[in-house]
Amino acid sequence: MTEVTTKKADNQLIDRFGRTVNYIRLSVTDRCDLRCVYCMPEKMKFVPRTQLLTLEEMEQISRSFIKLGVDKIRITGGEPLVRRNILQLFNKLGEIEALRDLTLTTNGTQLKKYARPLRDAGVTRINISLDTLKADRFQAMTRIGDLKQTVEGLDAAIACGFEQIKINSVVMKNYNYDEVENLVRFCIDRGIDISFIEEMPLGENAHHDRAATYCSSDDILSDLQQHYEIIPTTEKTAGPTRYYKLGEHPDSRIGFISPHSHNFCDSCNRVRLTAEGLLLLCLGQEHSVDLRHIVRANPGDRDILEQAIIDSMQIKPKGHDFDLNSQEILLRHMNLTGG
Ligand code: SAM
Ligand code: SF4
């Protein structure tokens, strides 16, 4: 990737490497009703509520991003559906015409209640995290979860007719690697997609040795090739997923998110906003801008906020430096970063 002069078209965010940013992931809370072993420690210390952005501030910041060319927002967390009054934000964002894609990543526990109102609000696609189909394993991997609740939530979402429903599975050796084929079969039976994710070293993790449990996407792919005709595609959904088609099952696709084995930074088009209002320019680096401070110090001043967003493009790093044997991003777990 060669560095190019930063230029700003009228409504475009372009970084120093010529990458256009048109996608923001918004973490609406760092809290969660589960404690997945790869995501956070069992006794996670959450951010005090007073430090969180209000839903109104999130809407204001989202509107500024949209004015600057962002047309895709993914709501994430923590578990977004445990944030009080969260539908209010979905309803407001769903009304914005220039927002082409309003999506959600959730653990599914609350979807029985929320799937229909989310669809009505204009949510187009949902990613639901599900790493195992075995109830005892599900409880072990989430520390407190109930598999039935997540599967019921998933089925409720399928019944609402979203444009895409996708399962996200973080695959780890000695945990769920042996279930990859079952997970694919589960998705084929429901006519939905699945993405397999390589675990990222975010936040200190005393639970397991990330290098020892690492499972490469290429290993998963070659295992699946024993069972299915797997056809590469160039299909994209704005995120880092590489998709494959399944020859005999046209309603399901298999995706891979492979930060270690297939670096995706060259085509990065996204930034993240933490629940505290920190604009993170890269998932795997600390470069950030405190938008909460800017919004609160300059109430109602959209120009200052938009200039800060434009200026942030100057510090978007070239890429992450993930190393499974070290924990460079010690303090920021995935629930805070917004996966
Ligand atoms: N609570 C929601 C959920 O679980 O879908 C949304 C937030 S969660 C942080 C977003 C995604 O990040 C999930 O698919 C989860 O499996 C994934 N994730 C969490 N920690 C991860 C890690 N250390 N490496 C890779 N993916 C991770
Ligand atoms: Fe919660 Fe999602 Fe993290 Fe699991 S991955 S602990 S569900 S935020």
Side-chain angles (χ1 to χ4, degrees), residues 59 63 87-96 99 102 121:
E59 182 194 344
R63 283 186 184 276
L87 274 180
Q88 186 186 311
L89 181 66
F90 282 103
N91 284 323
K92 290 282 185 194
L93 295 180
E95 285 168 5
I96 306 174
L99 184 61
L102 176 59

Side-chain angles (χ1 to χ4, degrees), residues 65-279:
F65 270 100
I66 292 167
K67 187 158 168 242
L68 294 168
V70 163
D71 62 1
K72 174 170 177 182
I73 296 182
R74 175 169 295 281
I75 304 294
T76 181
E79 175 45 43
L81 300 182
V82 302
R83 171 89 195 227
R84 190 139 43 101
N85 296 329
I86 189 63
L87 274 180
Q88 186 186 311
L89 181 66
F90 282 103
N91 284 323
K92 290 282 185 194
L93 295 180
E95 285 168 5
I96 306 174
E97 225 163 272
L99 184 61
R100 198 178 40 84
D101 215 5
L102 176 59
T103 66
L104 162 71
T105 301
T106 172
N107 63 26
T109 59
Q110 313 296 315
L111 274 178
K112 242 171 122 174
K113 173 174 164 201
Y114 281 118
R116 174 50 58 194
L118 287 168
R119 186 72 186 118
D120 293 344
V123 171
T124 45
R125 299 183 292 114
I126 302 190
N127 288 351
I128 299 167
S129 301
L130 179 63
D131 306 315
T132 169
L133 297 169
K134 298 184 181 188
D136 53 343
R137 265 192 200 177
F138 186 88
Q139 202 185 26
M141 287 185 80
T142 61
R143 295 198 179 96
I144 39 179
D146 172 10
L147 174 67
K148 189 163 164 272
Q149 195 182 352
T150 288
V151 173
E152 284 177 1
L154 164 70
D155 286 335
I158 291 172
C160 290
F162 288 90
E163 285 170 28
Q164 186 197 26
I165 303 267
K166 184 173 74 149
I167 296 292
N168 272 351
S169 300
V170 176
V171 182
M172 295 157 65
K173 287 210 166 115
N174 305 323
Y175 283 83
N176 61 344
Y177 180 34
D178 58 340
E179 281 192 71
V180 161
E181 206 268 313
N182 281 350
L183 285 162
V184 171
R185 173 59 53 195
F186 175 88
C187 292
I188 289 172
D189 289 345
R190 285 168 165 75
I192 59 176
D193 296 337
I194 183 162
S195 275
F196 294 109
I197 305 175
E198 293 176 351
E199 186 186 355
M200 301 171 212
L202 288 177
E204 200 167 10
N205 190 328
H207 180 269
H208 55 274
D209 174 349
R210 282 170 165 153
T213 55
Y214 170 67
C215 188
S216 135
S217 299
D218 292 341
D219 289 347
I220 298 174
L221 180 61
S222 63
D223 284 0
L224 289 173
Q225 279 165 334
Q226 313 294 317
H227 302 274
Y228 301 101
E229 185 197 355
I230 297 186
I231 307 157
T233 76
T234 50
E235 288 170 25
K236 295 290 287 174
T237 50
T241 310
R242 294 175 293 124
Y243 280 107
Y244 291 78
K245 281 188 186 161
L246 285 162
E248 292 165 358
H249 307 285
D251 295 334
S252 295
R253 290 178 303 174
I254 298 180
F256 293 97
I257 301 174
S258 323
H260 305 289
S261 60
H262 295 259
N263 186 297
F264 41 65
C265 300
D266 272 6
S267 57
C268 183
N269 60 347
R270 52 203 167 271
V271 291
R272 292 174 161 79
L273 188 68
T274 71
E276 294 170 285
L278 208 60
L279 178 64

Side-chain angles (χ1 to χ4, degrees), residues 31-36 38-40 77-79 107 129 335:
R31 285 158 205 269
C32 187
D33 51 354
L34 302 182
R35 296 283 183 278
C36 300
Y38 45 74
C39 179
M40 60 167 93
E79 175 45 43
N107 63 26
S129 301
N335 66 308

